[in-house]
Structure formats: structure tokens, C-alpha cells
Short mmCIF file of all heavy atoms in Angstrom, two decimals:
data_model
loop_
_atom_site.label_atom_id
_atom_site.label_comp_id
_atom_site.label_asym_id
_atom_site.label_seq_id
_atom_site.Cartn_x
_atom_site.Cartn_y
_atom_site.Cartn_z
N PRO A 453 -14.66 15.80 -9.68
CA PRO A 453 -15.69 14.85 -9.26
C PRO A 453 -15.25 13.41 -9.51
O PRO A 453 -14.54 13.13 -10.47
CB PRO A 453 -16.90 15.23 -10.12
CG PRO A 453 -16.37 16.02 -11.25
CD PRO A 453 -15.10 16.64 -10.78
N GLY A 454 -15.65 12.53 -8.61
CA GLY A 454 -15.31 11.11 -8.74
C GLY A 454 -13.97 10.72 -8.18
O GLY A 454 -13.64 9.54 -8.14
N LEU A 455 -13.21 11.68 -7.72
CA LEU A 455 -11.86 11.38 -7.21
C LEU A 455 -11.90 10.73 -5.83
O LEU A 455 -10.92 10.12 -5.42
CB LEU A 455 -11.02 12.66 -7.18
CG LEU A 455 -9.51 12.45 -7.03
CD1 LEU A 455 -8.94 11.77 -8.25
CD2 LEU A 455 -8.82 13.78 -6.80
N GLY A 456 -13.01 10.84 -5.13
CA GLY A 456 -13.09 10.27 -3.78
C GLY A 456 -12.78 8.78 -3.75
O GLY A 456 -12.09 8.29 -2.85
N SER A 457 -13.26 8.03 -4.73
CA SER A 457 -13.01 6.60 -4.80
C SER A 457 -11.52 6.29 -4.96
O SER A 457 -10.99 5.37 -4.35
CB SER A 457 -13.78 5.97 -5.96
OG SER A 457 -15.15 6.19 -5.81
N LEU A 458 -10.87 7.09 -5.80
CA LEU A 458 -9.43 6.91 -6.01
C LEU A 458 -8.64 7.25 -4.75
O LEU A 458 -7.68 6.55 -4.40
CB LEU A 458 -8.99 7.80 -7.18
CG LEU A 458 -7.71 7.46 -7.91
CD1 LEU A 458 -7.69 6.03 -8.39
CD2 LEU A 458 -7.52 8.40 -9.09
N LEU A 459 -9.05 8.30 -4.06
CA LEU A 459 -8.41 8.66 -2.78
C LEU A 459 -8.57 7.54 -1.76
O LEU A 459 -7.61 7.16 -1.08
CB LEU A 459 -9.01 9.96 -2.22
CG LEU A 459 -8.61 11.25 -2.90
CD1 LEU A 459 -9.58 12.36 -2.54
CD2 LEU A 459 -7.19 11.63 -2.52
N LEU A 460 -9.78 7.02 -1.64
CA LEU A 460 -10.02 5.95 -0.68
C LEU A 460 -9.23 4.71 -1.04
O LEU A 460 -8.63 4.07 -0.16
CB LEU A 460 -11.51 5.63 -0.59
CG LEU A 460 -11.89 4.55 0.42
CD1 LEU A 460 -11.45 4.92 1.84
CD2 LEU A 460 -13.39 4.28 0.37
N ALA A 461 -9.16 4.36 -2.31
CA ALA A 461 -8.39 3.18 -2.73
C ALA A 461 -6.92 3.34 -2.36
O ALA A 461 -6.27 2.40 -1.88
CB ALA A 461 -8.54 2.97 -4.24
N ASP A 462 -6.38 4.54 -2.57
CA ASP A 462 -4.98 4.79 -2.22
C ASP A 462 -4.78 4.71 -0.71
O ASP A 462 -3.81 4.11 -0.24
CB ASP A 462 -4.53 6.15 -2.75
CG ASP A 462 -3.03 6.31 -2.70
OD1 ASP A 462 -2.36 5.82 -3.63
OD2 ASP A 462 -2.53 6.89 -1.71
N ALA A 463 -5.71 5.28 0.05
CA ALA A 463 -5.61 5.24 1.51
C ALA A 463 -5.67 3.79 2.01
O ALA A 463 -4.88 3.40 2.88
CB ALA A 463 -6.73 6.07 2.14
N LEU A 464 -6.59 3.00 1.47
CA LEU A 464 -6.69 1.60 1.89
C LEU A 464 -5.40 0.83 1.56
O LEU A 464 -4.93 0.03 2.37
CB LEU A 464 -7.90 0.93 1.22
CG LEU A 464 -9.27 1.41 1.67
CD1 LEU A 464 -10.36 0.76 0.84
CD2 LEU A 464 -9.49 1.18 3.15
N ALA A 465 -4.84 1.08 0.39
CA ALA A 465 -3.59 0.42 0.01
C ALA A 465 -2.46 0.79 0.97
O ALA A 465 -1.66 -0.07 1.37
CB ALA A 465 -3.21 0.78 -1.43
N ARG A 466 -2.39 2.05 1.37
CA ARG A 466 -1.36 2.47 2.33
C ARG A 466 -1.58 1.82 3.69
O ARG A 466 -0.62 1.44 4.37
CB ARG A 466 -1.36 3.99 2.50
CG ARG A 466 -0.57 4.70 1.46
CD ARG A 466 -0.49 6.19 1.74
NE ARG A 466 -0.36 6.90 0.49
CZ ARG A 466 0.79 7.07 -0.15
NH1 ARG A 466 1.90 6.61 0.35
NH2 ARG A 466 0.81 7.72 -1.30
N CYS A 467 -2.84 1.71 4.09
CA CYS A 467 -3.15 1.07 5.38
C CYS A 467 -2.72 -0.39 5.37
O CYS A 467 -2.12 -0.87 6.33
CB CYS A 467 -4.65 1.18 5.69
SG CYS A 467 -5.22 2.85 6.05
N VAL A 468 -3.04 -1.09 4.29
CA VAL A 468 -2.66 -2.50 4.18
C VAL A 468 -1.13 -2.63 4.22
O VAL A 468 -0.59 -3.48 4.92
CB VAL A 468 -3.26 -3.14 2.90
CG1 VAL A 468 -2.63 -4.49 2.61
CG2 VAL A 468 -4.77 -3.26 3.03
N ALA A 469 -0.44 -1.79 3.47
CA ALA A 469 1.03 -1.83 3.46
C ALA A 469 1.60 -1.55 4.84
O ALA A 469 2.51 -2.24 5.31
CB ALA A 469 1.57 -0.84 2.43
N ALA A 470 1.06 -0.55 5.52
CA ALA A 470 1.56 -0.19 6.86
C ALA A 470 1.30 -1.31 7.87
O ALA A 470 2.11 -1.53 8.77
CB ALA A 470 0.90 1.10 7.34
N SER A 471 0.20 -2.04 7.69
CA SER A 471 -0.13 -3.09 8.65
C SER A 471 0.83 -4.27 8.60
O SER A 471 0.84 -5.09 9.50
CB SER A 471 -1.58 -3.56 8.44
OG SER A 471 -1.69 -4.37 7.29
N THR A 472 1.65 -4.34 7.56
CA THR A 472 2.67 -5.39 7.52
C THR A 472 3.88 -5.02 8.37
O THR A 472 4.68 -5.88 8.71
CB THR A 472 3.12 -5.70 6.07
OG1 THR A 472 3.80 -4.55 5.54
CG2 THR A 472 1.94 -6.08 5.19
N GLN A 473 4.00 -3.74 8.70
CA GLN A 473 5.12 -3.26 9.51
C GLN A 473 4.70 -2.96 10.95
O GLN A 473 5.48 -3.15 11.88
CB GLN A 473 5.71 -1.98 8.89
CG GLN A 473 6.22 -2.16 7.48
CD GLN A 473 7.46 -3.03 7.43
OE1 GLN A 473 8.39 -2.83 8.20
NE2 GLN A 473 7.47 -4.01 6.56
N ILE A 474 3.50 -2.44 11.11
CA ILE A 474 2.95 -2.11 12.43
C ILE A 474 1.55 -2.70 12.49
O ILE A 474 0.71 -2.36 11.65
CB ILE A 474 2.91 -0.59 12.66
CG1 ILE A 474 4.32 0.00 12.57
CG2 ILE A 474 2.27 -0.26 14.00
CD1 ILE A 474 4.36 1.51 12.59
N ALA A 475 1.31 -3.54 13.45
CA ALA A 475 0.03 -4.26 13.51
C ALA A 475 -1.16 -3.31 13.56
O ALA A 475 -1.16 -2.33 14.30
CB ALA A 475 0.01 -5.17 14.73
N ALA A 476 -2.15 -3.62 12.75
CA ALA A 476 -3.42 -2.89 12.75
C ALA A 476 -4.49 -3.87 12.27
O ALA A 476 -4.37 -4.44 11.19
CB ALA A 476 -3.36 -1.67 11.84
N THR A 477 -5.51 -4.04 13.06
CA THR A 477 -6.58 -4.98 12.75
C THR A 477 -7.69 -4.32 11.95
O THR A 477 -8.37 -4.98 11.17
CB THR A 477 -7.16 -5.54 14.06
OG1 THR A 477 -6.10 -6.13 14.80
CG2 THR A 477 -8.23 -6.58 13.81
N LEU A 478 -7.87 -3.02 12.15
CA LEU A 478 -9.00 -2.30 11.57
C LEU A 478 -8.55 -1.05 10.83
O LEU A 478 -7.51 -0.47 11.14
CB LEU A 478 -9.96 -1.82 12.68
CG LEU A 478 -10.50 -2.85 13.65
CD1 LEU A 478 -11.23 -2.14 14.78
CD2 LEU A 478 -11.43 -3.81 12.93
N ILE A 479 -9.39 -0.61 9.90
CA ILE A 479 -9.29 0.71 9.31
C ILE A 479 -10.55 1.44 9.75
O ILE A 479 -11.66 0.91 9.60
CB ILE A 479 -9.19 0.66 7.78
CG1 ILE A 479 -7.94 -0.12 7.36
CG2 ILE A 479 -9.16 2.08 7.20
CD1 ILE A 479 -7.87 -0.44 5.89
#
């Protein structure tokens, strides 16, 4: 329980990192 927030934080961090290599305006 409670791991969902940690999963989402990791996913958002990966999205931000990827957007520096391949353009993405939205998640």
C-alpha cells in the first residue's frame, strides 16, 4: 500500500528525462 505515489513519481521523472531527447508536451 502507498506505492502508487512512488510509481507515479518515477514515471513522471522518466517522462521528463525522455522529453529532453524526444519532444513531448504532455503526459
Side-chain angles (χ1 to χ4, degrees):
L455 195 67
S457 300
L458 201 54
L459 285 163
L460 182 59
D462 193 83
L464 292 175
R466 276 185 209 278
C467 291
V468 167
S471 74
T472 66
Q473 300 292 312
I474 300 172
T477 304
L478 305 171
I479 299 170

